[in-house]
Amino acid sequence: MFRGLHTINLDAKGRLAIPTKYRETLAELCGARLVATIDTEERCLLIYPVNEWELIQAKIEALPSFNPVARRIQRLLIGHATDLELDSAGRILLPQPLREYASLEKESVLMGQGKKLELWSKSQWENRRDEYLDMVSQPEQLPEELQSLSL
């Protein structure tokens, strides 16, 4: 559903324009309603169509709250989840706490990841991408399933 990498700019109010190629899909899938939350492993944001997020939230809520790791995930993902809606110009407004978490400034990268989007600071993404590329050149670190993948 979502794929590709888009360099985008946040305006002074923290708004970003969703690429045109995604807007129609989002309107059909979820009435242009989205949910943004933090990524617990990286300093980026995860942006889901609301219908996809609801499935994930139900799974997170079903985790045992007495398990400290599960409780941490519940607090972080659900606690930071923020409802967003595309405005008439195809923009979303990201709240300040989410922008701060991901160190988002003017230049950002919106990356399709299938059923969700990731939003990164451009500089942080470029650094992480370079680290990932260095790892790929070390085949012994790749899972066996990826070693046999032919591109």
Side-chain angles (χ1 to χ4, degrees):
M1 173 180 359
F2 302 113
R3 60 179 168 255
L5 186 128
H6 305 272
T7 301
I8 56 174
N9 291 320
L10 270 78
D11 69 14
K13 295 180 182 178
R15 295 177 299 196
L16 67 95
I18 297 293
T20 306
K21 75 181 222 171
Y22 295 149
R23 291 180 199 170
E24 188 174 312
T25 302
L26 289 169
E28 291 173 11
L29 274 176
C30 59
R33 294 173 32 241
L34 305 167
V35 174
T37 192
I38 65 172
D39 184 323
T40 59
E41 303 300 318
E42 300 280 358
R43 287 289 180 153
C44 70
L45 300 181
L46 307 175
I47 303 174
Y48 293 89
V50 71
N51 56 315
E52 290 292 334
W53 172 253
E54 288 171 349
L55 299 172
I56 292 165
Q57 183 170 329
K59 292 176 184 176
I60 295 169
E61 289 174 348
L63 295 171
S65 62
F66 289 111
N67 178 308
V69 174
R71 190 71 184 130
R72 177 180 62 86
I73 296 297
Q74 290 167 331
R75 286 182 175 136
L76 291 171
L77 291 177
I78 297 172
H80 285 92
T82 304
D83 292 302
L84 307 171
E85 193 164 344
L86 269 71
D87 67 12
S88 60
R91 299 173 302 187
I92 56 173
L93 174 62
L94 293 168
Q96 184 67 28
L98 293 180
R99 293 194 315 262
E100 287 174 3
Y101 175 82
S103 302
L104 296 174
E105 294 180 6
K106 184 171 177 138
E107 287 190 305
S108 300
V109 171
L110 187 68
M111 188 178 348
Q113 292 292 290
K115 295 182 179 183
K116 69 178 180 282
L117 298 160
E118 288 184 355
L119 182 61
W120 290 75
S121 151
K122 185 178 180 194
S123 61
Q124 284 188 342
W125 167 248
E126 289 173 348
N127 290 337
R128 179 59 78 204
R129 178 202 58 208
D130 292 345
E131 289 174 18
Y132 289 159
L133 289 171
D134 288 342
M135 289 180 204
V136 169
S137 66
Q138 301 169 15
E140 66 279 358
Q141 293 185 3
L142 289 176
E144 187 176 316
E145 298 83 4
L146 288 178
Q147 290 180 20
S148 64
L149 183 64
S150 175
L151 299 175

